[in-house]
Amino acid sequence: CGILAFDGPGAELETAYHELYAGWLPQSGFVPSDHSTFFILRESEAGPDDSLSEHFACDLCLPVEPL
């Protein structure tokens, strides 16, 4: 899997996926596999006043296979 660590507001999640697909993937020597992209939630660095809907941490995982 190609993995990108994300820790930030949910509104920036689309930008992180774009970084994974358009930034990392073309230079990686891999192509997406037939498996679905998924994410693994992690404990957030956010303070106690941040709600999960606004800020969270995860690893974006893109299943890949060699070119």
Side-chain angles (χ1 to χ4, degrees):
C1 280
I3 299 174
L4 177 70
F6 176 81
D7 190 341
E12 293 178 9
L13 192 56
E14 184 176 346
T15 301
Y17 270 108
H18 184 266
E19 182 180 330
L20 185 60
Y21 276 91
W24 175 80
L25 186 62
Q27 55 81 37
S28 70
F30 294 96
V31 294
S33 72
D34 291 335
H35 300 283
S36 299
T37 302
F38 61 96
F39 61 92
I40 300 169
L41 290 175
R42 294 184 281 111
E43 193 168 322
S44 179
E45 303 276 332
D49 295 332
D50 292 329
S51 75
L52 289 177
S53 64
E54 294 175 7
H55 188 108
F56 65 99
C58 67
D59 292 324
L60 306 176
C61 303
L62 172 61
V64 293
E65 57 190 39
L67 285 171

